[in-house]
Amino acid sequence: MGRYALRRLLQAIPVFIGTTFLIWFLVWGLPGDPFAGRCGEKACPPAYVNYMTEKFGLNDPLPLQYLNYLKNLATGNFGQTFNGLEIGDLLAQAFPISMKLAVVAVLAEALIGITAGVLTGLRRGSFLDNLVLVSTLVLIAVPIFVIGIVARYAFGLASVSPEAPWTELIIPGLILGSGSLAYITRLTRVNIVENRRADYVRTAVAKGLAPGRVTGVHLLRNSMIPVVTWLGLDLGALMGGAIVTEGIFNIRGIGGLLFGAIARRESGIVVSIVAILVLVYLIVNLLVDLLYGVLDPRIRYE
Amino acid sequence: MSDIKVKTAPVLGVDGRSAGHLLEVDNLHVEFRTRDGIAKVINGVSYHVDAGETLAVLGESGSGKSVTAQTIMGILDTPPGFVTDGAIRFRGKDLLTMGKDERRLVRGEGIAMVFQDALSALNPVFTVGFQIAELFRKRRGMSRADGYKRAAELLDLVKIPAASARLRDYPHQFSGGMRQRVMIAMALALDPEVLIADEPTTALDVTVQAQIMDLLAEIRRDRNMGMILITHDLGVVADVADRIAVMYAGRIVEQADVHALYGKPCHPYTLALLDSLPRLDLKGQELNTIKGLPPNLLRIPSGCAFHPRCTMARDICLTQRPALVELGGVRSSACHFAEELYGRE
Amino acid sequence: MSSPEVATATAEAAVLPTTPAAAEPPRKDKPRSLWTDAWYELRRKPLFVISAIMITIFVLMAAFPSLFSSVSPNAADLNKSLTPPDFGAWFQFGKGGQFGYDLQGADIYSRTIYGARASIVVGLSAVLGNMLLGGFFGILSGYLGGWTDSLLARFGDIFLGLPFVLGALVILSTFAPVQSSPSAVRITTLVIVTFIMLGWPSFARIMRAAVLSTKQLDFVHAAQALGARPGRIIFRHVLPNAVAPMVVVGTITLGAYIGAEATLSFLGVGLRQPVVSWGIMIGDSRQYMEAAPYMMAFPAAFLAIAVLSFVMLGDAVRDALDPKLR
């Protein structure tokens, strides 16, 4: 398993480089004036342009610029914004908030989604099953930004305060996780339905175990394998996918930072955020892969 | 449930009938309600087994032999399967009418089952130690450590080498034969009075088959259990069984002592089955086979269900279903020509 | 998979001595292919029928919006600004005002109808583009294997490594900065290209899997042995096998793309004026939730129904094509 993890890690390196290069190139590498509109209505004074060009190394050949960027990244130096703020500091403020939001979302998904999935899987075709089916379809169909705006209006919610305490993140988190919640519900239900008639469940019944144990241990443990791995992937995805939710609730997380940076064309922030999110995504992917092997002893890594 | 059990057989039935058997299936009817119609899978099956005796139930797939066993265990999938009539009495008490909890306690402790495919019947994500110890922990209230200790003893009993070390292994890490031994160990855990073995050797290599059958026979003898051996393999039956019930299309067509059945089969279907066994003395000749396919249970043939494939079939077989009649007071057959067959030399 | 015991002939039966093949009665059922079987299954599903009807309506709406509304979506009369819906107009064609008027005084009903075009065009083109590009690379990887396969897989990973909305945000804002106003054709094309760029690796994986499984089949080996050219094998054997998963994933993706298009337009980086899009309408309505909830309600409802129709259709088709779940 160690060798497998190492190989996967090595495979992730070119992907990381490729993705960050792609974004870096889009943001820095394309021809165009990076300082257009930066000095109000007028064009920027030549002294400013020269100073900034020098500071960001914009006269170097492109590959060198990128290599310099990677080198700085490796040492944890994210560079500065155009007006001289340390990007690293901005990220350090925003990242924990996004992570909290993602954790709330994933917890909500797990708690509500798995419960609903198990209940409906065991009572296929019941009133509850149909009710949950319709609810999941609604959650899948209505985009998050609509749910968010309506919820904010309906509950009369104010913006989340800058420190983003857990209690204020509950509703935004629920909304952020709503789409995945529906998916988790369906995934759990399908797996329960599929495994319910499995031979080993029948064996557990034949052993004279109580119904609660048959369902709660033998059926659930097997049905949870794909669900848990999916939840793991979602945690990674949600950290970057919170742009809409953070925007609607004015949460000062990564998504809000990124969106503001795009609007203000703060190239340094955009590239750094994407780099971090891709890194998170790749690591989470690898961890989930390994987790799969822990959950299902039949999996062998070669 | 107490740890101590007194084995007495035969038992006096609750309805006061004497000559009650340890386990008795009485006129069982089961149907499967499928989208394509109702399949009458079991149509009045009756058999019994007593302590220390092995009953072999023989039949093709679709004959209802496994469904009968599932109904006894209470693991029939409902829907589509429904019991429409009959009784299953264990120690004189009808399993089909008793309360859910009471019936649950019969499973494993009164009647236990060994399944055909141990790979799918064992839970893939738990160690075999966990799965066996679970029985002691949940049904006997033992501690985890004691449960595992007893599990190791059981694995030893079914002759798995290095038993205590293998407790931590998962089912897929065992070979087919070893896995079936685990299955048997699990079935024996609560010291059941009746063991149902549903095609226990079908998924195994021929050499391993014999070892497993020997193990089952040995355990049955040592523990004085009743055993129902479900199989489609005539070769397996001869050495192990005391009595044989042959099933066809959800009915018992012939039931007899093993020697009597092999010596003089009294139903054309049994006859054909025995005829189709490869025999050394007939080497070089073409193998006899039974023509046709097992019946479609959605459309069971009129009269005797076997008539489309029967070499002795006459007009009466198409219209009248033969009843199971006693022959000489010791055996029975459901054929219009049963007496003829019984009377032949 | 109702009951194994009902099966008339199983592998187990073959162990018993029976005459093989010779005595087997001819099957009464006509041989049914995967597709006719699936079609038979689908026609009886209300969810499939409803979503198919809804999709037909949306496609008609996109192609011929004037069939549904005679009012121009861009005609604005400030006198009518924020007029609530006129429910009396629901049954009078050509009157306008059924869903009320937005801030500029444009007819919300008409805009909602015309908004279908952007969603359908973007969704359909992006999915078709994904199928072509992904299919091409998938065939390449599956057929050539070796280092081509590994290289394409890593290359695809680069795009899959980007979270979808994030990637689209960066690409779109690069080529069409947030405050700019590109032409309708340019921005629509840009959105479609962005979706294809980020989506093709998933489709390539499906095609690759189809190629690999087809390569294992005996008749393909036979065809190869007989000297059939790769092009012929791909068209005759590989493509038919890949169609089913492609259709299923494509339909569901189409629904997701309609939602994504609306999200990006809502954020201001996707489609923008003069294109009429549900996402833009919903974005515009944000400030007026209290005063004019109808500004959001109608485009949001259309958007949700459109997304739902495609997701449900994909679900139904998958269930019908996947015999395992029956």
Side-chain angles (χ1 to χ4, degrees):
Chain A
M1 185 149 143
R3 282 186 58 185
Y4 174 81
L6 191 70
R7 211 184 67 214
R8 282 292 312 270
L9 208 58
L10 289 178
Q11 273 181 356
I13 291 173
V15 175
F16 176 75
I17 293 178
T19 311
T20 49
F21 178 76
L22 182 79
I23 296 299
W24 180 88
F25 182 76
L26 281 174
V27 173
W28 286 110
L30 288 177
D33 179 6
F35 307 113
R38 231 165 250 300
C39 307
E41 296 291 305
K42 294 174 292 185
C44 287
Y48 173 81
V49 173
N50 285 340
Y51 169 71
M52 292 302 268
T53 308
E54 189 61 32
K55 181 178 171 188
F56 288 95
L58 297 180
N59 278 336
D60 295 337
L62 277 181
L64 186 65
Q65 285 187 41
Y66 176 67
L67 284 179
N68 275 333
Y69 178 75
L70 269 191
K71 205 171 73 191
N72 287 333
L73 206 60
T75 57
N77 177 7
F78 290 97
Q80 292 185 345
T81 62
F82 286 122
N83 44 18
L85 290 172
E86 279 297 329
I87 294 175
D89 293 345
L90 294 175
L91 290 177
Q93 279 168 17
F95 203 73
I97 295 178
S98 285
M99 213 145 93
K100 268 160 93 175
L101 187 64
V103 167
V104 173
V106 168
L107 281 181
E109 283 168 27
L111 229 65
I112 304 173
I114 293 176
T115 312
V118 170
L119 289 179
T120 52
L122 291 177
R123 293 190 184 74
R124 205 146 65 117
S126 65
F127 172 73
L128 182 78
D129 188 21
N130 286 309
L131 184 76
V132 169
L133 177 74
V134 171
S135 319
T136 55
L137 285 176
V138 170
L139 286 182
I140 288 172
V142 184
I144 284 188
F145 64 97
V146 175
I147 299 180
I149 295 174
V150 171
R152 196 167 169 193
Y153 170 70
F155 298 121
L157 296 175
S159 296
V160 171
S161 40
E163 311 81 52
W166 289 99
T167 46
E168 287 183 35
L169 288 179
I170 291 176
I171 289 179
L174 266 171
I175 289 166
L176 176 61
S178 60
S180 305
L181 173 70
Y183 188 74
I184 288 285
T185 306
R186 300 181 105 195
L187 191 64
T188 308
R189 181 180 174 279
V190 164
N191 276 291
I192 291 277
V193 168
E194 210 168 86
N195 291 338
R196 238 181 93 180
R197 293 272 160 99
D199 284 354
Y200 57 80
V201 172
R202 181 180 277 198
T203 309
V205 176
K207 280 158 91 174
L209 298 173
R213 183 157 177 97
V214 174
T215 306
V217 175
H218 287 270
L219 178 55
L220 203 59
R221 175 68 171 70
N222 287 272
S223 305
M224 280 304 100
I225 295 173
V227 177
V228 171
T229 50
W230 207 86
L231 278 172
L233 287 181
D234 208 40
L235 185 67
L238 285 184
M239 285 189 199
I243 296 164
V244 174
T245 315
E246 291 186 1
I248 289 173
F249 290 94
N250 290 327
I251 299 169
R252 302 190 182 176
I254 290 283
L257 189 64
L258 178 72
F259 193 66
I262 283 175
R264 294 194 311 277
R265 297 196 296 122
E266 277 287 1
S267 316
I269 301 183
V270 175
V271 177
S272 298
I273 289 180
V274 173
I276 287 198
L277 291 179
V278 169
L279 198 63
V280 168
Y281 178 87
L282 289 173
I283 291 175
V284 166
N285 254 305
L286 176 64
L287 289 180
V288 165
D289 248 28
L290 299 178
L291 177 71
Y292 203 83
V294 175
L295 292 176
D296 190 342
R298 285 166 297 182
I299 303 283
R300 286 237 190 91
Y301 296 106
E302 273 141 34
Chain B
M1 280 278 157
S2 69
D3 240 331
I4 309 139
K5 246 181 324 187
V6 187
K7 281 189 180 170
T8 50
V11 198
L12 214 67
V14 276
D15 51 1
R17 287 198 312 176
S18 61
H21 297 284
L22 178 58
L23 176 68
E24 188 177 13
V25 177
D26 187 4
N27 192 30
L28 188 68
H29 286 74
V30 174
E31 61 186 34
F32 278 6
R33 296 170 193 164
T34 70
R35 210 193 288 186
D36 302 322
I38 291 175
K40 300 203 178 273
V41 182
I42 299 180
N43 308 296
V45 164
S46 302
Y47 60 61
H48 63 87
V49 67
D50 285 314
E53 134 182 279
T54 300
L55 169 74
V57 181
L58 194 71
E60 291 167 306
S61 77
S63 61
K65 57 192 194 303
S66 287
V67 176
T68 314
Q70 286 166 14
T71 314
I72 295 172
M73 284 310 290
I75 53 171
L76 184 69
D77 282 337
T78 308
F82 293 90
V83 177
T84 50
D85 197 10
I88 299 171
R89 280 181 288 273
F90 176 67
R91 296 180 146 269
K93 229 175 155 194
D94 187 5
L95 294 172
L96 297 176
T97 54
M98 71 170 51
K100 262 188 184 173
D101 288 325
E102 196 181 354
R103 188 168 190 198
R104 175 166 77 77
L105 295 177
V106 172
R107 295 187 197 122
E109 188 155 341
I111 312 169
M113 188 155 170
V114 173
F115 293 89
Q116 174 181 345
D117 179 8
L119 184 60
S120 65
L122 292 169
N123 196 325
V125 302
F126 294 114
T127 62
V128 302
F130 176 91
Q131 295 186 56
I132 300 174
E134 184 181 30
L135 278 162
F136 295 114
R137 288 167 54 209
K138 296 298 152 187
R139 295 290 302 275
R140 295 275 188 258
M142 283 188 197
S143 71
R144 182 177 288 261
D146 287 348
Y148 275 86
K149 217 177 94 197
R150 295 290 297 271
E153 287 168 20
L154 277 171
L155 289 189
D156 204 44
L157 178 82
V158 296
K159 304 189 178 80
I160 291 180
S164 46
R166 301 224 65 180
L167 286 177
R168 283 187 300 275
D169 284 349
Y170 291 93
H172 72 272
Q173 291 167 309
F174 287 79
S175 68
M178 286 299 148
R179 209 151 41 216
Q180 195 57 277
R181 286 170 196 266
V182 171
M183 190 86 238
I184 292 170
M186 205 157 82
L188 293 177
L190 300 181
D191 203 7
E193 292 168 74
V194 176
L195 184 69
I196 302 176
D198 187 1
E199 311 236 9
T201 59
T202 307
L204 304 174
D205 290 344
V206 182
T207 47
V208 184
Q209 284 185 2
Q211 293 167 10
I212 295 291
M213 284 317 299
D214 288 347
L215 177 69
L216 280 171
E218 184 189 322
I219 289 168
R220 204 264 305 139
R221 204 171 48 239
D222 291 351
R223 303 196 162 204
N224 197 33
M225 289 187 303
M227 184 156 92
I228 299 176
L229 176 66
I230 294 164
T231 181
H232 64 268
D233 187 348
L234 278 162
V236 166
V237 177
D239 307 329
V240 199
D242 299 309
R243 277 183 301 118
I244 298 185
V246 181
M247 283 186 74
Y248 191 83
R251 287 197 167 81
I252 290 181
V253 291
E254 179 162 17
Q255 186 159 196
D257 178 84
V258 64
H259 299 296
L261 190 108
Y262 274 78
K264 192 201 279 177
C266 290
H267 191 283
Y269 178 58
T270 321
L271 206 61
L273 281 179
L274 288 173
D275 239 15
S276 58
L277 279 179
R279 278 162 54 184
L280 273 179
D281 55 323
L282 296 178
K283 203 176 164 195
Q285 292 186 22
E286 201 181 320
L287 207 59
N288 285 313
T289 53
I290 308 177
K291 285 195 221 42
L293 289 171
N296 180 347
L297 294 175
L298 290 168
R299 290 184 291 268
I300 295 180
S302 63
C304 174
F306 185 59
H307 83 254
R309 304 168 72 187
C310 183
T311 49
M312 300 176 67
R314 283 177 229 161
D315 288 349
I316 185 174
C317 304
L318 275 66
T319 51
Q320 276 189 36
R321 189 162 54 75
L324 195 65
V325 290
E326 288 214 345
L327 302 170
V330 287
R331 55 188 299 179
S332 51
S333 162
C335 176
H336 291 300
F337 313 107
E339 298 284 353
E340 246 170 77
L341 286 164
Y342 183 60
R344 76 183 193 276
E345 275 307 304
Chain C
M1 296 295 290
S2 52
S3 63
E5 286 280 334
V6 185
T8 46
T10 61
E12 192 190 315
V15 178
L16 266 168
T18 52
T19 318
E24 198 170 319
R27 281 192 67 178
K28 280 188 194 115
D29 310 320
K30 265 184 285 176
R32 289 183 298 183
S33 79
L34 178 69
W35 291 98
T36 43
D37 237 13
W39 175 237
Y40 180 78
E41 186 89 350
L42 281 173
R43 274 185 322 190
R44 301 154 152 251
K45 280 198 172 165
L47 279 187
F48 169 79
V49 176
I50 294 170
S51 49
I53 292 174
M54 291 314 300
I55 288 171
T56 314
I57 294 176
F58 279 119
V59 170
L60 275 178
M61 225 181 256
F64 313 106
S66 49
L67 280 180
F68 298 83
S69 168
S70 57
V71 182
S72 159
N74 288 318
D77 178 356
L78 279 176
N79 289 326
K80 291 180 179 165
S81 176
L82 299 186
T83 312
D86 170 11
F87 293 103
W90 282 43
F91 306 100
Q92 296 167 45
F93 186 79
K95 187 155 175 261
Q98 292 93 326
F99 293 174
Y101 292 87
D102 67 9
L103 188 68
Q104 312 294 328
D107 182 26
I108 294 177
Y109 172 72
S110 172
R111 288 180 71 77
T112 308
I113 294 292
Y114 278 80
R117 177 173 285 175
S119 296
I120 299 287
V121 165
V122 167
L124 209 59
S125 320
V127 165
L128 286 178
N130 266 328
M131 284 180 173
L132 287 176
L133 193 69
F136 175 73
F137 282 122
I139 290 175
L140 228 54
S141 322
Y143 217 85
L144 297 177
W147 63 268
T148 320
D149 186 19
S150 318
L151 202 70
L152 279 172
R154 292 292 88 74
F155 188 59
D157 282 348
I158 291 177
F159 297 94
L160 284 184
L162 277 174
F164 191 87
V165 174
L166 188 76
L169 205 63
V170 175
I171 297 173
L172 285 170
S173 63
T174 304
F175 293 100
V178 178
Q179 302 304 334
S180 68
S181 35
S183 74
V185 176
R186 186 181 139 80
I187 188 68
T188 311
T189 316
L190 193 58
V191 171
I192 294 169
V193 170
T194 305
F195 282 14
I196 296 174
M197 223 173 121
L198 294 171
W200 69 268
S202 316
F203 287 81
R205 284 185 180 179
I206 299 171
M207 184 57 99
R208 178 177 174 274
V211 173
L212 288 183
S213 65
T214 314
K215 262 166 92 176
Q216 310 294 324
L217 298 175
D218 284 342
F219 66 88
V220 174
H221 283 304
Q224 276 172 327
L226 290 171
R229 278 176 292 116
R232 188 179 155 76
I233 292 178
I234 286 170
F235 275 98
R236 285 292 298 274
H237 304 305
V238 174
L239 286 185
N241 258 325
V243 167
M246 279 281 202
V247 165
V248 171
V249 175
T251 319
I252 295 174
T253 308
L254 216 161
Y257 278 179
I258 290 177
E261 180 273 306
T263 304
L264 291 165
S265 304
F266 165 81
L267 288 173
V269 290
L271 302 179
R272 36 204 112 156
Q273 297 281 6
V275 183
V276 182
S277 147
W278 295 328
I280 301 176
M281 294 175 73
I282 296 169
D284 288 345
S285 74
R286 262 184 90 174
Q287 312 303 323
Y288 308 97
M289 279 299 290
E290 200 138 359
Y294 46 86
M295 262 179 83
M296 167 188 244
F298 292 106
F302 272 57
L303 172 61
I305 293 170
V307 173
L308 191 59
S309 300
F310 282 104
V311 172
M312 276 183 353
L313 187 79
D315 262 9
V317 173
R318 183 192 49 213
D319 289 352
L321 287 176
D322 189 353
K324 205 181 80 182
L325 291 173
R326 255 186 237 164

